[in-house]
Amino acid sequence: MIRLGSNSPTRALILKNFGIDFIQNGGDFDEDSIATTNPKSFCYEATKGKFNELYKKYGVEDMPLLVADSVVTCDGKLLRKAKDISHAKAMLELQSGNKTSVITCMIYKSKELELIDISITSYEFEQFDKKHMQEYLESKECFGKAGAIMVEGFCKPYIKQVIGYESCAMGLCIEKLKNFL
C-alpha cells in the first residue's frame, strides 16, 4: 500500500490498472509560487514542493509516499493547466501540427528507498480538426490537464509519432515505478 500524494483521478486510475494498492491524499501546494518558466525545472520544483508538503504531513512511517506532477512544452514554452477556454484554445492551436512533449516528475519515498525520476514523452501531432477541437473545448475535458491535452482521448487520432511511455504523458511513469518497486 502506498499513499498517492495527488488529487489526479488519472494517476489513481494508472495505479489501479497496474494493480498497485494505494490511498489518495492530495495537498495544497501553490504552483504559482514557482518563478521558473523552464519546463523541466518547473516540473521538478512543483513535484518537490508537493512532496515536501505531504511528507511533513504524513511522513513515510506508515506507508510510502508517491507524488507526481506533469507539464507540457511546445516550441520551448511552458504549458500548464488552462485558465479558461481561450487559454486552452491557444495552447491547442500551438500544439496542432507540432511536436509537443509531456514532462512528468515523480518522487517515491519509503523508509528504505527513494526514487526521483523525470521522464519525457514526445508527440508529433497532425493538424487538429477545428470542429473536433471546438467540441473538445466545449466538453471542458481540457481543464485540469497540462497543456489542455489528453493523449488518451482528444489527441489520440492526431498522433503521428510518439517517443516514450503513454503513462508518462498521462501523469505517472508507471513502467519505471513498477520496475523500481
Side-chain angles (χ1 to χ4, degrees), residues 70-128:
S70 298
V71 298
V72 172
T73 184
C74 183
D75 287 346
K77 295 180 175 136
L78 172 64
L79 305 178
R80 295 177 51 205
K81 294 175 185 163
K83 295 176 177 125
D84 55 36
I85 292 280
S86 63
H87 187 217
K89 184 177 181 186
M91 287 192 288
L92 291 172
E93 287 173 344
L94 176 66
Q95 297 172 79
S96 180
N98 210 342
K99 181 180 175 188
T100 296
S101 296
V102 181
I103 303 168
T104 295
C105 179
M106 72 174 155
I107 300 175
Y108 170 90
K109 184 169 178 59
S110 68
K111 288 187 272 186
E112 301 84 24
L113 301 169
E114 183 173 25
L115 167 70
I116 299 173
D117 176 74
I118 297 178
S119 297
I120 299 172
T121 297
S122 296
Y123 291 89
E124 186 177 338
F125 292 127
E126 293 179 9
Q127 289 287 327
F128 298 154

Side-chain angles (χ1 to χ4, degrees), residues 14-153:
I14 291 169
L15 291 177
K16 183 179 176 191
N17 288 344
F18 276 79
I20 297 174
D21 291 329
F22 68 95
I23 62 168
Q24 191 168 9
N25 300 108
D28 297 314
F29 179 74
D30 179 15
E31 292 183 8
D32 291 331
S33 67
I34 300 171
T36 186
T37 57
N38 176 286
K40 191 184 273 188
S41 295
F42 184 94
C43 191
Y44 173 75
E45 288 182 36
T47 305
K48 189 70 173 160
K50 292 174 183 182
F51 177 84
N52 289 341
E53 173 196 347
L54 295 169
Y55 183 78
K56 285 177 190 167
K57 186 172 185 178
Y58 298 108
V60 294
E61 293 303 312
D62 295 338
M63 68 184 72
L65 175 61
L66 171 66
V67 176
D69 195 65
S70 298
V71 298
V72 172
T73 184
C74 183
D75 287 346
K77 295 180 175 136
L78 172 64
L79 305 178
R80 295 177 51 205
K81 294 175 185 163
K83 295 176 177 125
D84 55 36
I85 292 280
S86 63
H87 187 217
K89 184 177 181 186
M91 287 192 288
L92 291 172
E93 287 173 344
L94 176 66
Q95 297 172 79
S96 180
N98 210 342
K99 181 180 175 188
T100 296
S101 296
V102 181
I103 303 168
T104 295
C105 179
M106 72 174 155
I107 300 175
Y108 170 90
K109 184 169 178 59
S110 68
K111 288 187 272 186
E112 301 84 24
L113 301 169
E114 183 173 25
L115 167 70
I116 299 173
D117 176 74
I118 297 178
S119 297
I120 299 172
T121 297
S122 296
Y123 291 89
E124 186 177 338
F125 292 127
E126 293 179 9
Q127 289 287 327
F128 298 154
D129 177 81
K130 294 209 180 286
K131 183 178 182 224
H132 187 214
M133 187 170 73
Q134 189 59 41
E135 291 168 355
Y136 175 61
L137 290 166
E138 289 171 6
S139 77
K140 299 193 170 137
E141 287 182 297
C142 58
F143 292 107
K145 307 282 183 197
I149 62 169
M150 200 172 161
V151 295
E152 71 278 18

